Amino acid sequence: DTAVSQTPKYLVTQMGNDKSIKCEQNLGHDTMYWYKQDSKKFLKIMFSYNNKELIINETVPNRFSPKSPDKAHLNLHINSLELGDSAVYFCASSRGPPRGTNEKLFFGSGTQLSVL
Amino acid sequence: DAKTTQPNSMESNEEEPVHLPCNHSTISGTDYIHWYRQLPSQGPEYVIHGLTSNVNNRMASLAIAEDRKSSTLILHRATLRDAAVYYCILRPYNNNDMRFGAGTRLTVKP
């Protein structure tokens, strides 16, 4: 079984549309993250949730809204998509909270978003 | 953000050892040194981490300089499957907030 799974793997859409990316982890972890990898391959943290509570919220446009229905799921909703949103989005999880521990992260295989 | 410096790229021959360097001259006493790697079309995966002493696991070894201002990830026998981007990251002892830099792209030649 895949530890951290994301769907879809590829997402091609038009500017202005609203889309969602889903993430699930079966590791029993308390913390989940969203990262964005741009065309230059830099991997930047966007959000982190611990037990459904938002802990880290980087400077991300408010068109991006994470939603955590339970601690095993962290979905990413993006409204009014723009060309600059094209990137690979990675979900990750860790056992402990984002602040207070030094846990290793487990990443999903990524969702390649292309905005046309 | 990453506070580490790594070469952009390195090459290695298959079945030879690889030493991937990382400079982190501004490391604080409570920063851990973490290494992750990202294989093509995959998410990053944990490789190894350490604080002061050298560390070994089934994937690699981590050699940490005595002053902790640099470290080296050692792959003892590179395989084609080790071709990836390797990230060296400093993490405070109480923080999971991972900040990735550009990493080193390792090419393994048959």
Side-chain angles (χ1 to χ4, degrees):
Chain A
D1 285 343
T2 304
V4 181
S5 58
Q6 303 177 221
T7 53
K9 187 168 178 63
Y10 300 98
L11 184 54
V12 181
T13 188
Q14 301 286 332
M15 267 196 315
N17 284 350
D18 304 335
K19 291 293 180 184
S20 296
I21 307 172
K22 295 185 177 181
C23 179
E24 175 182 5
Q25 53 93 5
N26 62 6
L27 298 167
H29 286 169
D30 288 333
T31 305
M32 296 185 72
Y33 309 78
W34 277 108
Y35 281 81
K36 177 181 179 181
Q37 188 167 43
D38 59 24
S39 57
K40 295 183 179 179
K41 303 300 184 183
F42 285 99
L43 203 63
K44 296 182 179 179
I45 191 167
M46 300 173 69
F47 302 101
S48 175
Y49 269 73
N50 177 250
N51 276 322
K52 303 195 298 175
E53 180 184 354
L54 181 65
I55 301 297
I56 296 173
N57 185 352
E58 290 297 300
T59 307
V60 176
N62 57 16
R63 298 182 295 104
F64 291 78
S65 54
K67 286 185 171 54
S68 182
D70 55 62
K71 73 174 190 178
H73 296 84
L74 181 62
N75 303 323
L76 184 64
H77 301 276
I78 315 172
N79 295 324
S80 303
L81 278 156
E82 300 178 356
L83 294 177
D85 297 333
S86 297
V88 182
Y89 292 84
F90 289 98
C91 177
S93 73
S94 66
R95 187 174 56 181
R99 304 262 156 83
T101 65
N102 199 271
E103 303 280 350
K104 60 183 179 182
L105 268 62
F106 293 79
F107 284 82
S109 58
T111 296
Q112 185 163 337
L113 171 64
S114 300
V115 182
L116 307 177
Chain B
D1 282 346
K3 302 181 292 185
T4 62
T5 304
Q6 299 177 252
N8 288 335
S9 61
M10 290 185 66
E11 282 190 357
S12 170
N13 294 318
E14 197 176 11
E15 299 195 1
E16 289 186 357
V18 182
H19 288 65
L20 297 165
C22 181
N23 287 322
H24 29 79
S25 57
T26 59
I27 191 170
S28 75
T30 54
D31 283 345
Y32 280 77
I33 302 159
H34 281 247
W35 284 82
Y36 280 70
R37 72 179 186 181
Q38 187 173 16
L39 280 66
S41 302
Q42 300 209 14
E45 67 172 340
Y46 169 83
V47 178
I48 201 167
H49 79 279
L51 183 62
T52 56
S53 303
N54 295 344
V55 185
N56 300 299
N57 66 21
R58 64 174 181 81
M59 289 181 71
S61 296
L62 177 60
I64 301 173
E66 197 169 333
D67 63 6
R68 300 212 322 128
K69 294 186 176 182
S70 65
S71 61
T72 302
L73 180 71
I74 303 166
L75 307 179
H76 296 286
R77 286 180 69 235
T79 69
L80 297 178
R81 290 166 54 184
D82 290 323
V85 178
Y86 287 78
Y87 298 97
C88 169
I89 302 158
L90 298 184
R91 291 175 56 182
Y93 76 100
N94 63 347
N95 197 329
N96 272 347
D97 187 358
M98 300 282 289
R99 308 278 168 160
F100 288 75
T104 296
R105 180 173 298 278
L106 175 65
T107 302
V108 181
K109 297 183 287 184

